């Protein structure tokens, strides 16, 4: 895998030039790691069944889990979608390009392998101009799940991509554009039902979409018990270490012995870290994830990767409040921990 670092480019013209070999390899049916504003993606030509098959094989992803098709302009929708409900149009007008993915009725052009045999397709137009430029250059549309091995942590930085794909021959290039802006995946809305349904909490708050577009969007009551959508299995996005969630981290840490403390890496707000360091002086591993919900979302996977790499046995994570973007963070944390609590 060769890395194309587009951060060094002076302007979009230079970016375009640098992307040429990667666009060629997409046309040849190979895979490319692409940056987006949410997380990195593992992209292949969505109309090339053998390329899409490589995505599933490289990721070790079950064929029952459908992929998102990434587009760079509205015109392209016609080639993959059969019909466009009024509500979906309003969401596109307000949030595209941006981190909102919409499930729509698919046209027969979209190979079944992309959609796991469903009669719907999930579509997104990324906010990051480099991603849209790349799609346009490829001259096709890109099926791209998050760039991680199935059930492992998502990638928001170059070292994560290298960790998973460095030696995979199917992945020819990784386009590196720095750390991703939002840090969590796009919000997924099912537009084939009335009212619309949230299938995955993500980078844009559901309330904001509903309010701005004046649409009703039903939120799942118990996401983790009922398997209502393919991507909603309980275990997902996990660190390779036993992980627990905690509501009152300060109280929990106060109750631990010195020996117990040494075996855990803690993830918490900057504020909580300061508080903890007031009464535990040393021999404690604490990774701060920020204070605002935006910061926490942006740092979430990065902190989980760091915690996974620490020389400790367990991870214990302070859970932030569950409003707005906090619902997305809560969803990812419950999945990362398989809903284990201390
Ligand atoms: O931000 C993102 O969405 C990133 C970047 C790379 O674009 N992509 C991403 O893809 O997170 P992935 O494959 O990791 O997650 C896609 C989610 C899965 O939960 C999948 O089940 C759901 O979208 N999905 C895809 N097609 C669907 C469909 N036709 N019906 C219901 N859910 C679908
Ligand atoms: Mg994923």
């Amino acid at each position: 895998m060769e890395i194309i670092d587009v951060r060094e480019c002076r302007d979009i013209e230079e970016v375009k030039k640098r992307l040429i070999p990667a666009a060629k390899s997409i046309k040849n049916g190979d895979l490319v790691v692409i940056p987006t504003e949410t997380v990195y993606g593992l992209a292949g030509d969505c109309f090339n069944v053998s390329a899409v098959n490589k995505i599933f094989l490289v990721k070790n992803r079950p064929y029952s889990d459908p992929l998102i098709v990434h587009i760079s302009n509205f015109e392209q929708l016609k080639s993959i979608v059969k019909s466009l409900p009024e509500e979906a149009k309003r969401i596109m007008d307000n949030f595209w390009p941006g981190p909102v993915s919409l499930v729509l009725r698919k046209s027969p052009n979209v190979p079944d392998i992309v959609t796991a045999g469903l009669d719907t397709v999930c579509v997104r137009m990324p906010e990051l101009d480099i991603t849209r430029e790349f799609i346009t250059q490829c001259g096709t549309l890109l099926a791209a799940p998050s760039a991680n091995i199935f059930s492992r942590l998502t990638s928001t930085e170059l070292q994560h991509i290298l960790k998973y794909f460095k030696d995979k021959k199917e992945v020819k290039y990784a386009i590196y554009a720095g750390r991703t802006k939002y840090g969590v995946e796009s919000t997924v809305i099912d537009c084939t039902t009335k009212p619309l349904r949230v299938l995955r909490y993500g980078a844009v708050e559901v309330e904001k979409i509903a309010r701005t577009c004046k649409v009703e969007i039903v939120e799942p009551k118990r996401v983790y018990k009922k398997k209502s959508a393919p991507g909603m299995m309980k275990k997902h996005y996990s660190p390779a270490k036993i992980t627990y969630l905690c509501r009152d981290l300060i109280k929990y840490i106060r109750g631990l012995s010195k020996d117990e403390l040494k075996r855990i890496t803690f993830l918490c707000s900057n504020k909580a870290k300061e508080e903890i360091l007031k009464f535990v002086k040393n021999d404690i591993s604490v990774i701060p994830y920020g204070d605002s919900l935006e910061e926490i979302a942006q740092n979430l996977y990065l902190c989980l990767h760091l915690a996974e790499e620490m020389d400790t046995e367990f991870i214990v994570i302070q859970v932030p409040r569950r409003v707005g973007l906090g619902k997305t963070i809560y969803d990812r944390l419950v999945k990362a921990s398989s809903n284990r609590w201390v």
Side-chain angles (χ1 to χ4, degrees), residues 168-214:
K168 305 275 188 193
K169 62 177 190 326
E170 298 87 349
V171 187
K172 299 291 181 213
Y173 293 93
I175 303 167
Y176 180 58
R179 228 167 109 191
T180 59
K181 177 178 166 186
Y182 293 95
V184 288
E185 297 90 337
S186 61
T187 304
V188 181
I189 309 283
D190 185 354
C191 299
T192 65
T193 57
K194 256 186 195 251
L196 312 188
R197 290 191 300 159
V198 179
L199 294 183
R200 177 175 73 183
Y201 289 111
V204 181
E205 296 169 17
V206 174
E207 296 88 338
K208 192 173 164 192
I209 302 173
R211 206 175 43 236
T212 313
C213 305
K214 298 191 173 55

Side-chain angles (χ1 to χ4, degrees), residues 126-293:
E127 177 183 303
L128 191 69
D129 49 0
I130 296 165
T131 323
R132 293 200 311 281
E133 181 50 50
F134 184 62
I135 298 167
T136 303
Q137 262 192 43
C138 289
T140 183
L141 307 182
L142 298 180
S146 51
N148 54 294
I149 302 299
F150 183 69
S151 92
R152 297 287 306 279
L153 292 169
T154 305
S155 306
T156 56
E157 254 300 356
L158 184 62
Q159 67 263 31
H160 311 152
I161 298 162
L162 294 173
K163 180 150 105 180
Y164 297 129
F165 304 116
K166 195 166 70 252
D167 302 319
K168 305 275 188 193
K169 62 177 190 326
E170 298 87 349
V171 187
K172 299 291 181 213
Y173 293 93
I175 303 167
Y176 180 58
R179 228 167 109 191
T180 59
K181 177 178 166 186
Y182 293 95
V184 288
E185 297 90 337
S186 61
T187 304
V188 181
I189 309 283
D190 185 354
C191 299
T192 65
T193 57
K194 256 186 195 251
L196 312 188
R197 290 191 300 159
V198 179
L199 294 183
R200 177 175 73 183
Y201 289 111
V204 181
E205 296 169 17
V206 174
E207 296 88 338
K208 192 173 164 192
I209 302 173
R211 206 175 43 236
T212 313
C213 305
K214 298 191 173 55
V215 290
E216 190 190 347
I217 308 174
V218 177
E219 298 188 38
K221 280 202 184 74
R222 299 167 77 195
V223 187
Y224 319 106
K225 295 282 188 285
K226 204 174 62 181
K227 202 181 148 193
S228 54
M232 286 182 130
M233 45 282 267
K234 204 166 143 195
K235 192 174 176 322
H236 212 171
Y237 320 106
S238 309
K241 221 172 244 183
I242 298 177
T243 303
Y244 296 94
L245 305 183
C246 181
R247 284 198 210 283
D248 190 345
L249 192 67
I250 308 286
K251 187 172 160 207
Y252 175 69
I253 292 182
R254 282 190 190 278
L256 294 177
S257 69
K258 260 189 167 170
D259 280 340
E260 285 168 328
L261 272 178
K262 275 188 200 157
R263 299 165 67 187
I264 306 171
T265 291
F266 298 95
L267 253 67
C268 61
S269 63
N270 300 7
K271 212 167 125 225
K273 180 176 177 176
E274 271 173 40
E275 200 59 33
I276 293 161
L277 294 184
K278 280 183 196 157
F279 62 91
V280 188
K281 292 293 174 219
N282 38 33
D283 278 341
I284 183 164
S285 154
V286 190
I287 301 173
Y289 53 42
D291 287 313
S292 70
L293 292 172

Side-chain angles (χ1 to χ4, degrees), residues 291-306:
D291 287 313
S292 70
L293 292 172
E294 285 75 19
E295 273 177 320
I296 300 172
Q298 196 192 27
N299 295 327
L300 190 68
Y301 286 119
L302 192 72
C303 291
L304 285 168
H305 276 280
L306 285 175

Side-chain angles (χ1 to χ4, degrees), residues 224 234 245 329-339 341:
Y224 319 106
K234 204 166 143 195
L245 305 183
I329 296 164
Y330 185 87
D331 170 79
R332 304 306 190 269
L333 289 180
V334 165
K335 285 167 180 163
S337 64
S338 301
N339 210 3
W341 292 78

Side-chain angles (χ1 to χ4, degrees), residues 36 38-41 61 65-68 70 101 103 118 120-122 124 144-146 185-186 188 199-200 230-231:
T36 82
T38 56
V39 300
Y40 278 84
R61 180 179 175 116
D65 197 0
L67 307 178
I68 298 177
H70 295 63
S101 299
V103 171
L118 299 171
T120 56
V121 60
C122 190
R124 132 168 167 78
S146 51
E185 297 90 337
S186 61
V188 181
L199 294 183
R200 177 175 73 183

